[in-house]
Amino acid sequence: MTAEVAVLGVGMHPWGKWGRGFVEYGVVAARAALADAGLDWRDVGSIVGADTVRGGYPGYVAGGTFAKALGWQGARVTSVYAACASGAQAIDAARAQILAGLAEVVLVVGADAAPKGFFRPAGGDRPDDPDWLRFRVLGATNPTYFGLYARRRMVVHGDTADDFARVKVKNSAAGALNPYARYRKRVTAEEVAASAVVSDPLRLLDICATSDGGAALVLSSLEFARRHGAAEPVRIRAVSTVTPRYPHTVLDLPDIATDSAVAVEPAGQAFRTSIAAAAYEEAGIGPEDLSLAEVYDLSTALELQWYEDLALCAEGEGAKLLRDGATALGGRIPVNVSGGLASFGEAVPAQALAQVCEVTWQLRGQAGGRQVADARVGITANQGLFGHGSAVVAVR
């Protein structure tokens, strides 16, 4: 178990399609987090930016870009990119600086201005890049993979399109209560079934959108938090940033072939399972200790997979857990009470940070109508391209 760091402040820019630059969204989120922490930007000793590859050169050096936008003040600077895991990697970098004594207060910021439609590789021709190859060789967009994941669950576990629709219904009900969500309208199962097929068996309302948005955290040492008057702050107890183990036998984006398991036995844990297991081990907790979870629901089917990967239920029982109401607000283990990506859409560098913002509000008892009663422990989980796994455990 590693030492904890305090979450002194959290802030977000609402998700949507605003037509402005990512820097504006990040600065709004950063200033909100600083105000929540009761600190001035000049009190910050380090800033860690989660990069966006769609923001031009400033997006590739997001830490310095946000520092300049907030006003040069000499802070240490770091920029991090790990695709959808960028926010969690940025938290990990900030935590390491605090625990190493390099800074007492670190501001973590991520923001994105997403394209219309699905994400595609940035830049020109790169025949050695598997993310580029899947588009050029297979024409396999992100929703193609989401559909493959869903179809696999239907074949292996007996999940149905109705089960997938139930996830959207649950998350839209939560998103309707979240002022930062892009989609704040409750959706019925009938509306999901009536939406267009995108990647069979998934329909338009089964798949998350691409969005603009921003999120930020102010992290500090526990000693600084106490001096600052925060006697019992939310604390980050674990950050998991694991990679898969060979052979990685389940097809995963952006792969177009799996490693052979003919000569080598598969690892004891699948990749996503190992993400959560590492976080639990570092935090000294188990799934039974959780009050809530925020997971990476690129599709409705993928949320069901995360139930099992987080060990909230046995393998193949995700749909049953959902049907029993356990993952809804008021259930045994609420999942995505923020509304999830179903209600927000993807703003890649910001989404792992947004998950921690939601968990922080929940642990503080500040989540309003979507509040989980007596929340004490929360976990976030997502993954980025090329084996970037991430999970964060926060406690109160």
Side-chain angles (χ1 to χ4, degrees):
M1 183 184 300
T2 59
E4 298 171 337
V5 297
V7 183
L8 282 189
V10 295
M12 290 176 62
H13 182 290
W15 259 236
K17 283 286 191 180
W18 309 116
R20 299 193 291 275
F22 80 97
V23 180
E24 180 176 337
Y25 310 142
V27 168
V28 168
R31 287 176 175 158
L34 289 166
D36 186 44
L39 294 174
D40 186 88
W41 161 233
R42 288 167 293 187
D43 298 322
V44 173
S46 177
I47 180 168
V48 181
D51 294 344
T52 168
V53 298
R54 283 167 296 280
Y57 196 80
Y60 286 93
V61 289
T65 298
F66 291 131
K68 180 179 180 181
L70 290 165
W72 294 128
Q73 48 90 311
R76 176 185 293 268
V77 65
T78 307
S79 297
V80 175
Y81 185 69
C84 296
S86 297
Q89 295 274 8
I91 291 170
D92 201 32
R95 179 181 68 154
Q97 291 180 10
I98 292 167
L99 296 180
L102 298 176
E104 282 196 302
V105 181
V106 183
L107 174 64
V108 185
V109 191
D112 207 0
K116 293 182 66 175
F118 50 76
F119 292 121
R120 56 192 177 276
D125 291 352
R126 296 188 306 278
D128 59 345
D129 178 352
D131 199 38
W132 179 87
L133 284 170
R134 69 182 171 98
F135 279 80
R136 290 295 294 269
V137 176
L138 297 182
T141 63
N142 290 9
T144 301
Y145 285 80
F146 307 160
L148 289 171
Y149 300 150
R151 182 59 64 186
R152 183 179 187 276
R153 287 199 60 84
M154 296 176 88
V155 171
V156 176
H157 300 309
D159 292 3
T160 68
D162 289 340
D163 292 324
F164 303 152
R166 287 188 182 97
V167 176
K168 177 68 174 185
V169 171
K170 172 184 73 72
N171 289 352
S172 70
L177 302 173
N178 194 330
Y180 294 101
R182 176 178 177 182
Y183 300 105
R184 301 188 61 197
K185 176 181 178 294
R186 291 173 179 265
V187 172
T188 66
E190 292 74 20
E191 288 173 317
V192 177
S195 63
V197 174
V198 174
S199 182
D200 184 68
L202 299 178
R203 296 178 176 273
L204 184 63
L205 293 182
D206 283 304
I207 295 173
C208 75
T210 59
S211 293
D212 299 356
L217 310 173
V218 176
L219 306 181
S220 79
S221 66
L222 294 182
E223 292 78 8
F224 180 92
R226 294 187 188 103
R227 293 200 309 270
H228 188 61
E232 295 186 9
V234 171
R235 306 179 308 280
I236 290 178
R237 182 170 286 177
V239 184
S240 164
T241 57
V242 299
T243 55
R245 294 181 183 274
Y246 179 84
H248 190 30
T249 56
V250 177
L251 186 70
D252 214 348
L253 193 160
D255 297 333
I256 57 178
T258 57
D259 291 329
S260 172
V262 174
V264 181
E265 285 294 319
Q269 287 181 325
F271 174 41
R272 279 190 289 268
T273 304
S274 72
I275 296 171
Y280 290 144
E281 181 178 4
E282 184 179 319
I285 65 165
E288 68 279 1
D289 298 308
L290 295 175
S291 305
L292 73 152
E294 286 287 312
V295 305
Y296 184 53
D297 58 319
L298 293 166
S299 77
T300 52
L302 189 57
E303 176 168 323
L304 296 181
Q305 184 64 46
W306 278 114
Y307 297 172
E308 299 163 25
D309 295 334
L310 292 179
L312 307 182
C313 62
E315 183 178 356
E317 295 186 2
K320 182 180 184 300
L321 193 71
L322 174 75
R323 293 185 209 120
D324 291 345
T327 60
L329 189 61
R332 175 176 65 82
I333 176 63
V335 177
N336 282 345
V337 288
S338 66
L341 296 183
S343 299
F344 277 74
E346 285 195 273
V348 170
Q351 53 211 33
L353 298 176
Q355 289 178 326
V356 177
C357 288
E358 178 65 24
V359 169
T360 299
W361 285 318
Q362 291 286 346
L363 298 184
R364 289 176 176 174
Q366 297 175 335
R370 63 185 191 281
Q371 180 65 50
V372 174
D374 301 318
R376 304 297 297 178
V377 182
I379 191 170
T380 71
N382 65 68
Q383 69 180 100
L385 292 179
F386 306 108
H388 281 100
S390 71
V392 178
V393 174
V395 301
R396 183 68 183 266

